[in-house]
């Protein structure tokens, strides 16, 4: 249960929630906080997180609504182990089950149409884009060396009931791809929120939410700005970190 020498115990800044992370390798970022606040979470929702990492998004979703139930899927042994211990550390075993498994084999793990919400923070970079990290945890989380954006969206489409929602965060440069693939797999994007590092700067991230079987029509929400000119977080981002919205 306790942290090992090569791990840290980090505060999620709300209700004494903690996360166990490796000192090296993949560590969660603001992406997880933004996505967990953006996703539409109904009362008693059955949720699947694809690529759970250390379990941060699942923990934050349960913090938003303790009536929801989450299946968190993670393929990397080290991250799966930390996610399991993070869930136990926070006393959330009744809400979150961390499952060791590959997104590409999701049909062997879950029945079709069993979830109201699927959330995922898929790799941002295609093969050949960006500098591939030497660390295998970071490489798998950030680059499409294990799973692609299309495979994530295809898995989500299988998992969702009719009317269920798929919430993603991705590089803004790939928004066209997210829209195309979501339409292809019949989970068309219905909500979009662009994420800007600073006011007046181009968006570098985008939050999208699709609805399985929905008709056309998209709501574009107001932009989310991360930093003030001074370099500190904006008031909205601070409120998201402290769980005051969502």
């Amino acid at each position: 249960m306790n942290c090992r020498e090569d791990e840290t115990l980090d505060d999620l800044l709300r209700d004494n929630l903690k996360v166990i992370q490796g000192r090296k390798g993949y560590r969660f970022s603001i992406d997880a906080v933004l996505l967990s606040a953006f996703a539409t979470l109904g009362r008693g929702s059955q949720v699947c997180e694809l690529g759970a990492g250390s379990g941060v998004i699942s923990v934050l979703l349960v913090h938003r609504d303790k009536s929801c139930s989450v299946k968190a899927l993670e393929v990397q042994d080290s991250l799966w182990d930390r996610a399991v211990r993070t869930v136990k550390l926070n006393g959330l075993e009744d809400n979150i089950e961390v499952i060791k498994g590959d997104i590409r084999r999701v049909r062997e793990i879950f029945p079709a149409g069993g979830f109201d919400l699927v959330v995922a923070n898929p790799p941002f970079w295609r093969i050949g884009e960006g500098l591939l990290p030497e660390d295998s945890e970071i490489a798998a989380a950030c680059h499409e060396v294990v799973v692609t954006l299309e495979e994530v969206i295809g898995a989500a489409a299988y998992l969702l009931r009719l009317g269920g929602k798929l919430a993603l965060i991705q590089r803004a440069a790939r928004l066209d791809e997210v829209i195309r693939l979501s339409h292809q797999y019949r989970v068309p994007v219905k909500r979009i929120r662009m994420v800007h590092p600073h006011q007046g700067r181009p968006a570098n991230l985008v939050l999208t939410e699709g609805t399985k079987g929905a008709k056309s029509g998209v709501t574009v929400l107001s932009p989310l700005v991360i930093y003030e000119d001074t370099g500190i977080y904006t008031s909205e981002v601070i409120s998201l970190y402290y769980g005051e919205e969502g």
Side-chain angles (χ1 to χ4, degrees):
M1 180 72 71
N2 295 329
C3 279
R4 298 162 183 162
E5 290 185 1
D6 62 344
E7 294 174 334
T8 63
L9 183 62
D10 300 301
D11 196 339
L12 290 178
L13 304 181
R14 59 191 79 178
D15 291 352
N16 203 34
L17 293 174
K18 308 289 185 182
V19 58
I20 298 169
Q21 302 192 91
R23 293 184 184 275
K24 298 180 180 180
Y26 176 75
R27 295 174 63 87
F28 89 94
S29 68
I30 193 172
D31 304 354
V33 176
L34 300 183
L35 181 59
S36 63
F38 171 78
T40 299
L41 187 63
R43 183 75 179 161
S45 289
Q46 299 295 310
V47 183
C48 182
E49 182 184 0
L50 296 176
S54 296
V56 173
I57 292 173
S58 293
V59 168
L60 292 178
L61 287 172
V62 171
H63 178 266
R64 281 183 57 191
D65 190 333
K66 293 180 175 57
S67 71
C68 74
S69 176
V70 184
K71 304 292 187 185
L73 189 65
E74 175 54 51
V75 71
Q76 296 193 68
D77 289 326
S78 56
L79 293 175
W80 170 84
D81 176 67
R82 289 182 199 127
V84 169
R85 287 185 285 130
T86 289
V87 169
K88 290 181 179 178
L89 179 67
N90 291 293
L92 297 176
E93 300 98 317
D94 291 342
N95 296 86
I96 304 171
E97 180 184 3
V98 185
I99 299 167
K100 174 81 165 52
D102 191 328
I103 293 170
R104 296 169 298 182
R105 305 183 69 175
V106 74
R107 292 172 182 268
E108 302 171 19
I109 302 169
F110 300 115
F115 294 94
D116 304 299
L117 171 67
V118 174
V119 293
N121 183 359
F124 283 177
W125 302 96
R126 306 177 190 91
I127 294 297
E129 291 181 332
L131 181 63
L132 187 66
E134 293 183 4
D135 185 277
S136 61
E137 281 186 8
I138 301 174
C142 300
H143 294 253
E144 294 184 341
V145 294
V146 174
V147 67
T148 66
L149 175 61
E150 180 169 3
E151 287 167 334
V152 169
I153 292 175
Y158 165 81
L159 293 169
L160 287 169
R161 64 166 177 81
L162 189 65
K165 299 184 184 299
L166 167 61
L168 301 172
I169 187 166
Q170 182 55 255
R171 287 169 53 222
R174 298 184 72 179
L175 176 58
D176 58 340
E177 188 178 356
V178 172
I179 292 173
R180 175 178 59 81
L181 290 171
S182 298
H183 180 78
Q184 177 182 326
Y185 285 93
R186 300 181 181 178
V187 191
V189 171
K190 300 294 291 178
R191 295 171 65 227
I192 295 174
R193 191 170 196 193
M194 308 304 297
V195 181
H196 301 252
H198 294 274
Q199 189 73 41
R201 294 275 299 277
N204 59 346
L205 298 173
V206 62
L207 292 153
T208 65
E209 187 175 76
T211 302
K212 186 172 180 178
K215 296 180 181 179
S216 61
V218 180
T219 299
V220 180
L221 304 174
S222 60
L224 174 59
V225 179
I226 303 299
Y227 296 106
E228 301 282 6
D229 291 341
T230 56
I232 65 171
Y233 284 137
T234 60
S235 59
E236 181 174 8
V237 170
I238 291 171
S239 72
L240 294 179
Y241 260 109
Y242 283 90
E244 296 169 10
E245 293 186 7

